[in-house]
């Protein structure tokens, strides 16, 4: 409902509306997008699509710019490390994108920069087999990617998703297939070049319900591939991943235990600026997780034993405790997490094969208060220490011996007809201790505010404010990205099964940058029509 109401045109807009998350994009529609959660690196946030990991083993950045917002049902966001439950590469957090199911709809969108998108969703039920089909195409002439670019940089993407689920006695059989293909133009030293992306995964799973216990077995095959498409170009980057998972969940009254084993085989290859490599790591993981709860408390702890064929053994873990009453929740969490250098860090252009895994220790204190049935306030203090942090400049991979990130996040939400308000603020100090400087592209201050006015049950107006303070443009530059405030507006109306949204981004046409030398979007208008049938 929030996605529809606020008229987000892509996932990066959605995530930028969340406190403690900063976005950096290399230009306009379809360009590479980096997500910084609670001051950690862009490759420290693990992205999942219906539970399947999207982060490649080469570049480390999930291609979220290619996922259609019109196919999304909800987005689950975990801020802070969750490496025991979700494995490596989740030092900053986990974002799970869940697509729509049991939905029949047609969505058409058109807007600025000749941006057009069409989505068809169709659900079937054949002999107790649920099938959800999604077909989507997006194209845009977009904006010039760099501030020095003299041409637009277009983007197109075609996505297909097929989800199948069948219940049979005490078993559930599932199969998920996803494919995304397209082309993106970009600026390379003043020349317009373009690259193709070819991403896919398919997942097969069986779930057996044994009284109140659950046995789950899954196999996932995935690919992330980018290829330069100029006639004489040969550069490419590719990750292939085979993942086998088996888990058992034991439910005993207020005690839930989970045991899981994961075997992942990766093939990573790249050719960039004449540097060629191939890497084939194997990762084995064993998880033990326990939840204890009663009416006034909740305790969670877990450990994940990781064996990496190149870097050996590592143990990540977490402990969390919450105390509850009728109005308040007080919580404490501590996590130890891990990220092995990706193949590009080690062997790509300017790589360093002697890099060691990044290790993080983080903790958080939090409070939520239910002021009344429609109003909630929350606040948290978070702290993360990272050693062996990997930073980059234009020529080489650099070592940062240690970094420290501390922050405070606070927010207030209320929903009292006809108004709905939300306000959140983050103060954060993301420091590179070794070089006595701030980590790049992460601001000390960020504010998010939203207002929705319900004209009636079928019509509403919305305003959304995003503001950030200045921040370093890159690790090895004194250049600063300036502070900015951007206001977005939206209008929604529903007539029977017809939904119409008009959204205006950057209402006052503010000029700003969230990545050095790259343009951010100017004022733009999008019209979206959605019909449920």
């Amino acid at each position: 409902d929030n996605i529809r109401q606020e008229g987000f045109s892509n996932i990066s807009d959605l995530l930028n509306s969340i406190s403690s998350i900063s976005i950096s994009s290399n230009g306009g529609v379809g360009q590479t997008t980096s997500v910084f959660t609670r001051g950690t690196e862009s490759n420290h946030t693990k992205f999942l699509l219906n539970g399947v990991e999207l982060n490649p083993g080469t570049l480390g950045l999930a291609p979220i710019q290619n996922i259609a917002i019109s196919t999304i049902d909800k987005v689950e966001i975990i801020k802070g490390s969750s490496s025991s439950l979700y494995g490596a590469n989740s030092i900053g957090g986990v974002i799970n994108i869940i697509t729509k199911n049991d939905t029949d709809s047609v969505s058409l969108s058109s807007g600025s920069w000749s941006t057009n998108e069409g989505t068809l969703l169709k659900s079937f039920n054949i002999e107790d087999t649920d099938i959800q089909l999604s077909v989507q195409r997006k194209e845009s002439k977009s904006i010039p990617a760099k501030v020095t670019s003299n041409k637009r940089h277009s983007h197109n993407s075609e996505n297909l998703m097929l989800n199948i689920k069948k219940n049979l006695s005490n078993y559930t059989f599932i199969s998920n297939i996803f494919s995304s293909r397209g082309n993106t133009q970009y600026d390379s030293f003043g020349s317009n070049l373009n690259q193709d992306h070819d991403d896919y995964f398919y997942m097969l799973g069986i779930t057996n319900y044994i009284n109140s216990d659950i046995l789950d077995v899954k196999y996932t095959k995935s690919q992330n591939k980018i290829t330069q498409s100029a006639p004489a170009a040969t550069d490419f980057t590719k990750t292939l991943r085979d993942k086998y998972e088996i888990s058992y969940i034991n439910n005993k009254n207020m005690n839930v235990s989970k045991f899981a084993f994961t075997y992942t085989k990766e093939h990573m290859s790249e050719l960039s600026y004449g540097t060629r490599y191939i890497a084939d790591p194997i990762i084995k993981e064993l998880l033990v997780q326990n939840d204890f709860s009663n009416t006034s408390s909740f305790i969670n702890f877990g450990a994940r034993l990781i064996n990496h064929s190149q870097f050996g053994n590592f143990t990540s873990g977490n402990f969390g405790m919450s105390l509850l009453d009728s109005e308040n929740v007080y919580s404490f969490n501590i996590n130890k997490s891990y990220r092995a250098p990706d193949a590009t860090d080690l062997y790509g252009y300017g790589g360093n094969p002697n890099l060691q895994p990044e290790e993080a220790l983080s903790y958080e204190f939090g409070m939520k208060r239910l002021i009344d049935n429609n109003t909630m306030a929350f606040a948290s203090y978070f702290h993360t220490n990272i050693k062996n942090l990997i930073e980059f400049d234009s020529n080489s991979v650099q070592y940062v011996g240690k970094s420290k990130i501390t922050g405070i996040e606070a927010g207030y939400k209320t929903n009292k007809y006809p108004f709905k308000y939300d306000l959140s603020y983050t103060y954060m100090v993301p420091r590179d201790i070794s070089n006595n400087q701030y980590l790049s592209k992460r601001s000390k201050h960020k504010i998010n505010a939203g207002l929705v006015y319900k004209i009636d049950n079928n019509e509403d107006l919305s305003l959304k404010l995003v503001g950030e303070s200045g921040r370093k443009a890159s690790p090895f530059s004194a250049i600063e990205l300036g502070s900015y405030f951007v206001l977005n507006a939206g209008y929604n109306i529903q007539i029977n099964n017809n939904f119409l949204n008009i959204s205006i981004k950057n209402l006052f046409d503010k000029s700003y940058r969230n990545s050095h030398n790259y343009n951010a979007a100017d004022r733009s208008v999008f019209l979206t029509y959605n019909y449920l049938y």
Side-chain angles (χ1 to χ4, degrees):
D1 290 340
N2 292 336
I3 293 172
R4 176 190 58 80
Q5 195 172 62
E6 298 179 21
F8 298 116
S9 58
N10 52 59
I11 294 176
S12 62
D13 282 349
L14 184 156
L15 295 177
N16 203 33
S17 71
I18 306 296
S19 61
S20 301
I21 296 179
S22 295
I23 302 295
S24 175
S25 177
N26 290 351
V29 180
Q31 301 294 330
T32 301
T33 301
S34 301
V35 178
F36 302 88
T37 305
R38 283 191 170 174
T40 58
E41 294 294 311
S42 56
N43 50 21
H44 288 171
T45 298
K46 176 172 283 190
F47 278 88
L48 309 173
L49 180 60
N50 294 331
V52 177
E53 182 177 357
L54 295 177
N55 303 63
T58 50
L59 302 174
L61 301 179
I64 59 172
Q65 66 272 11
N66 299 325
I67 299 175
I69 195 81
S70 54
T71 63
I72 296 175
D73 180 54
K74 62 180 178 179
V75 179
E76 299 174 338
I77 299 172
I78 298 176
K79 301 175 187 177
S81 174
S82 301
S83 59
S84 64
L85 189 58
Y86 289 95
N89 308 330
S90 59
I91 290 174
V94 179
I95 297 175
N96 187 20
I97 301 165
I98 300 174
T99 57
K100 294 176 180 177
N101 206 1
D102 300 326
T103 301
D104 295 334
S105 69
V106 174
S107 176
L108 300 172
S109 177
S110 184
S112 298
W113 323 306
S114 301
T115 303
N116 300 293
E117 181 177 342
T119 305
L120 170 67
L121 287 91
K122 177 63 180 176
S123 61
F124 307 87
N125 185 278
I126 303 173
E127 297 182 354
D128 295 325
T129 300
D130 296 321
I131 303 172
Q132 178 74 55
L133 174 66
S134 168
V135 180
Q136 181 266 348
R137 176 173 171 81
K138 183 174 185 176
E139 57 184 25
S140 176
K141 292 184 178 179
S142 194
I143 60 176
K146 290 185 177 180
V147 296
T148 56
S149 302
N150 53 23
K151 295 181 180 179
R152 291 184 172 188
H153 294 98
S154 64
H155 167 76
N156 66 75
S157 184
E158 296 178 348
N159 293 354
L160 170 69
M161 180 169 286
L162 178 64
N163 298 331
I164 302 173
K165 182 174 75 171
K166 182 176 181 61
N167 295 315
L168 184 63
S169 184
N170 294 327
Y171 292 86
T172 298
F173 301 87
I174 58 173
S175 175
N176 294 338
I177 300 172
F178 171 75
S179 173
S180 177
R181 295 182 176 182
N183 180 272
T184 303
Q185 294 181 343
Y186 64 97
D187 188 311
S188 177
F189 304 103
S191 299
N192 259 31
L193 300 181
N194 65 96
Q195 60 188 21
D196 297 323
H197 74 267
D198 184 3
D199 303 331
Y200 72 78
F201 69 74
Y202 57 86
M203 186 270 287
L204 302 173
I206 302 174
T207 302
N208 183 17
Y209 300 93
I210 309 167
N211 298 320
S212 59
D213 297 347
I214 302 172
L215 175 65
D216 195 52
V217 180
K218 291 180 182 177
Y219 166 71
T220 306
K221 175 79 172 183
S222 63
Q223 172 182 279
N224 175 273
K225 183 179 181 181
I226 299 174
T227 306
Q228 301 302 314
S229 59
T234 57
D235 287 7
F236 73 94
T237 179
K238 179 172 70 173
T239 298
L240 294 174
R241 182 179 288 132
D242 292 278
K243 189 171 185 178
Y244 305 84
E245 303 171 82
I246 181 169
S247 65
Y248 186 82
I249 298 177
N250 177 249
N251 290 282
K252 289 184 179 179
N253 297 323
M254 307 299 282
N255 179 18
V256 180
S257 301
K258 180 176 182 179
F259 308 90
F261 175 76
T262 303
Y263 178 93
T264 305
K265 181 179 180 180
E266 296 185 329
H267 170 82
M268 295 169 288
S269 57
E270 183 171 286
L271 173 60
S272 179
Y273 297 105
T275 300
R276 177 78 163 95
Y277 73 77
I278 297 175
D280 297 289
I282 294 175
I283 303 100
K284 303 171 187 175
E285 302 170 82
L286 180 64
L287 165 70
V288 179
Q289 182 96 4
N290 276 277
D291 298 336
F292 300 93
S293 60
N294 56 41
T295 57
S296 61
S297 64
F298 177 85
I299 297 175
N300 166 276
F301 61 89
R304 180 179 288 259
L305 307 178
I306 303 172
N307 175 265
H308 193 287
S309 59
Q310 182 172 355
F311 296 103
N313 298 320
F314 186 87
T315 302
S316 62
N318 71 278
F319 173 81
M321 180 174 62
S322 296
L323 302 177
L324 307 85
D325 59 35
S326 60
E327 297 176 343
N328 303 290
V329 178
Y330 303 95
S331 60
F332 168 75
N333 291 280
I334 185 167
N335 292 273
K336 181 183 179 184
S337 49
Y338 155 94
R339 175 188 173 267
D342 61 47
T344 304
D345 294 339
L346 295 166
Y347 312 116
Y349 176 73
N352 181 356
N354 297 316
L355 292 173
Q356 294 299 310
E358 297 171 322
E359 300 181 33
L361 181 65
S362 60
Y363 59 87
E364 173 188 0
F365 296 92
M367 182 275 292
K368 294 181 181 180
R369 179 173 177 80
L370 188 67
I371 297 173
D372 57 42
N373 289 335
N374 300 303
T375 306
M376 183 184 74
F378 64 90
S380 62
Y381 169 82
F382 55 90
H383 180 105
T384 302
N385 285 326
I386 306 174
K387 67 177 183 179
N388 301 337
L389 181 68
I390 303 168
E391 283 278 28
F392 300 84
D393 66 10
S394 60
N395 298 310
S396 63
V397 177
Q398 300 291 331
Y399 234 105
V400 175
K402 189 176 182 181
S403 69
K404 181 172 72 173
I405 304 163
T406 56
I408 298 173
E409 179 182 2
Y412 176 86
K413 298 180 180 181
T414 185
N415 187 359
K416 295 184 178 180
Y417 190 86
F419 293 103
K420 181 169 72 171
Y421 311 92
D422 67 87
L423 175 66
S424 59
Y425 167 73
T426 301
Y427 172 78
M428 182 173 59
V429 182
R431 291 200 65 83
D432 165 4
I433 297 175
S434 299
N435 295 315
N436 192 28
Q437 63 180 8
Y438 287 108
L439 295 169
S440 61
K441 299 183 181 180
R442 279 145 282 190
S443 53
K444 289 181 66 175
H445 306 274
K446 185 178 182 189
I447 187 170
N448 294 91
L451 168 65
V452 176
Y453 171 65
K454 297 284 291 184
I455 300 172
D456 56 39
N457 289 332
N458 299 313
E459 195 173 3
D460 59 69
L461 295 169
S462 66
L463 292 172
K464 197 75 175 182
L465 175 72
V466 179
E468 287 192 84
S469 62
R471 54 222 182 276
K472 282 180 63 66
S474 67
F476 300 94
S477 170
I479 297 174
E480 293 275 337
L481 297 170
S483 60
Y484 73 90
F485 285 93
V486 172
L487 184 67
N488 303 321
Y491 168 75
N492 294 278
I493 186 170
Q494 176 185 355
I495 303 174
N496 297 321
N497 292 327
N498 300 274
F499 295 83
L500 183 67
N501 171 268
I502 301 173
S503 61
I504 305 174
K505 312 298 182 185
N506 196 356
L507 181 63
F508 296 112
D509 202 21
K510 294 291 185 180
S511 178
Y512 69 101
R513 305 274 182 269
N514 58 33
S515 188
H516 181 47
N517 282 333
Y518 288 93
N519 286 315
D522 52 7
R523 181 168 51 220
S524 55
V525 181
F526 296 91
L527 174 66
T528 301
Y529 169 73
N530 191 30
Y531 172 65
L532 302 180
Y533 61 92

